[in-house]
Amino acid sequence: EMTWSGGPGHMNTFNSPGIVSRNNKTLNDKSNTAKDKGMQSYYELLSQEGGKDTISQFNHPGKTFGTFTDFAYWNPIVDQRISLLEVGNGEGQIGAGGYYPSYEHYTTAQDKGWHVAPTNNQDNHKGRWGNANDARDVILTDNFTEEGIYEAIRALRMYATEDKNLELGYTVNGQMMGSSITEVPEKLDLEVTVNDPDKSDSISKVEVVVNSGKVVHTWSDPAELNQGSLSVTLDPDYSYYFIRVTEGDGDLAVTSPGIYGEVFESTLLLRDIFKLAVHKDNRLAQRNSVRLEELTDQRFIMLLKGLPFRAQTDRIFADLGITPHYIMECDHLLRRELINANAGVTIASQS
């Protein structure tokens, strides 16, 4: 577990080729205002080649331990590395002290673009591993090898439940929960199967939840719920859809989302050109063009994180598997002064 105590949160990383210490000065750096400089460095570490087979989890997000700076710093590479988010955590009984639900952060993370499956874990510190309460993670796979389980987690074929034997299935247009649909279909055919084998338990309602936690469909008729097979056809108006089940005793279960689609049409407004800005004495100053792979020895002065242009340049480097040497982050004016002083180089927009 990477622990940023008093900072942005805690994160588990599985299947890594080695280990790092949570006391590493770079990875646990909380010197900036948001106290998340170390978390940003950890994301960069996960994004490197050595992190390609890892799986990470947002642990117990909330006010107590942190919300990962409100799930900031998304990029497409680290999004592939972080696959899980705890919707519940704790070694107390469900609904009692010592159990901490965090379902609202599941929707927040997805609203921020993260592709994650829900988990409900015990974080057990007292030796009651697996039986402190009835919360369970369910992984859907027919390959029970270690790699088969990891593959199912990466594919988000999972649901989390507060009832240990609730059975839940969910497809969108025939594709299993967690599937990504890249082209928006005309309609979404949702199929849900739900069953609790305990005679003392009952299903109270089943909901379809979309962006911002909005509920777009609810099954609550007891006769329909008792059949255990539910279906509905919806318009593709949102970017993700997951199922939430509420049992008669209040236990909850949520699935991975069934679709990540586009909900907006786009129009090209501007085609821009990126240029490398260097001092006149830099070895590249007389070049008409340069490949990004040639810049690994250059010291980069970049705009502050959070700015759209910075996010775009970070994504370009990440897509190419390049880790640039950033020496400073600043605003536009200071960046220009530092380049003129031959302190480093930068990438700038022609516009």
Side-chain angles (χ1 to χ4, degrees):
E1 181 184 70
M2 193 65 201
T3 303
W4 297 285
S5 298
H10 301 176
M11 177 170 288
N12 280 357
T13 297
F14 308 95
N15 199 37
S16 62
I19 61 173
V20 295
S21 171
R22 68 180 185 179
N23 297 320
N24 180 287
K25 291 183 179 180
T26 298
L27 300 179
N28 206 7
D29 187 350
K30 298 191 285 286
S31 62
N32 60 333
T33 302
K35 298 184 178 181
D36 64 5
K37 193 171 183 179
M39 185 182 76
Q40 295 180 53
S41 296
Y42 193 68
Y43 284 8
E44 292 172 4
L45 180 64
L46 292 178
S47 299
Q48 294 176 10
E49 179 66 18
K52 65 182 179 65
D53 293 325
T54 61
I55 295 174
S56 290
Q57 173 181 266
F58 293 118
N59 292 351
H60 42 61
K63 292 182 179 180
T64 301
F65 298 106
T67 60
F68 306 89
T69 319
D70 202 22
F71 300 100
Y73 311 116
W74 178 96
N75 73 62
I77 301 299
V78 77
D79 183 36
Q80 296 174 18
R81 311 290 198 252
I82 303 176
S83 302
L84 305 170
L85 182 148
E86 286 187 321
V87 297
N89 174 283
E91 54 197 5
Q93 293 298 310
I94 304 299
Y99 174 71
Y100 306 97
S102 52
Y103 291 94
E104 69 275 18
H105 298 293
Y106 182 44
T107 57
T108 300
Q110 293 179 88
D111 288 339
K112 295 295 183 72
W114 296 96
H115 295 66
V116 288
T119 60
N120 201 321
N121 305 314
Q122 292 179 8
D123 201 355
N124 199 299
H125 292 234
K126 298 180 181 178
R128 296 184 61 204
W129 299 286
N131 63 359
N133 59 41
D134 287 344
R136 298 291 185 268
D137 303 333
V138 181
I139 302 170
L140 304 175
T141 183
D142 56 6
N143 181 354
F144 298 104
T145 65
E146 181 179 18
E147 183 52 41
I149 292 172
Y150 281 143
E151 180 184 359
I153 293 173
R154 292 188 190 98
L156 310 183
R157 295 195 295 269
M158 294 184 63
Y159 65 90
T161 171
E162 294 176 348
D163 183 292
K164 64 182 179 182
N165 59 356
L166 178 72
E167 300 167 358
L168 182 56
Y170 170 45
T171 63
V172 179
N173 290 358
Q175 299 192 43
M176 189 180 296
M177 65 178 77
S179 299
S180 296
I181 299 176
T182 56
E183 295 185 5
V184 180
E186 292 185 2
K187 294 290 183 179
L188 299 175
D189 294 321
L190 279 62
E191 302 283 344
V192 181
T193 57
V194 59
N195 175 58
D196 191 320
D198 294 331
K199 293 182 179 180
S200 59
D201 284 331
S202 62
I203 307 301
S204 176
K205 62 180 176 181
V206 177
E207 301 166 293
V208 181
V209 185
V210 299
N211 298 64
S212 301
K214 180 179 179 180
V215 176
V216 294
H217 188 80
T218 301
W219 293 277
S220 57
D221 178 61
E224 189 176 20
L225 293 171
N226 286 337
Q227 293 178 1
S229 181
L230 310 168
S231 63
V232 66
T233 298
L234 301 173
D235 292 324
D237 294 331
Y238 302 93
S239 60
Y240 64 85
Y241 298 71
F242 68 86
I243 301 301
R244 179 170 62 206
V245 176
T246 304
E247 294 200 300
D249 59 4
D251 284 348
L252 296 175
V254 291
T255 70
S256 293
I259 175 174
Y260 293 94
E262 298 295 335
V263 296
F264 301 107
E265 295 183 358
S266 61
T267 301
L268 179 64
L269 300 177
L270 173 68
R271 191 181 300 276
D272 207 350
I273 297 175
F274 288 5
K275 291 194 172 185
L276 180 70
V278 303
H279 187 269
K280 60 185 178 68
D281 293 334
N282 188 285
R283 66 175 179 82
L284 301 172
Q286 304 304 315
R287 297 274 295 273
N288 292 323
S289 64
V290 62
R291 296 176 59 83
L292 292 179
E293 292 85 349
E294 301 177 67
L295 304 179
T296 54
D297 65 332
Q298 296 294 313
R299 298 174 302 170
F300 276 88
I301 301 167
M302 303 299 289
L303 293 176
L304 296 170
K305 280 198 171 183
L307 295 175
F309 184 80
R310 170 64 187 278
Q312 194 170 11
T313 53
D314 285 351
R315 189 172 300 122
I316 291 172
F317 280 123
D319 288 346
L320 293 174
I322 298 173
T323 303
H325 177 40
Y326 293 162
I327 63 169
M328 182 172 290
E329 299 174 344
C330 56
D331 60 24
H332 291 80
L333 294 178
L334 180 56
R335 182 180 66 165
R336 179 183 300 175
E337 292 179 6
L338 291 171
I339 298 300
N340 288 335
N342 200 17
V345 304
T346 194
I347 293 178
S349 167
Q350 179 173 277
S351 60

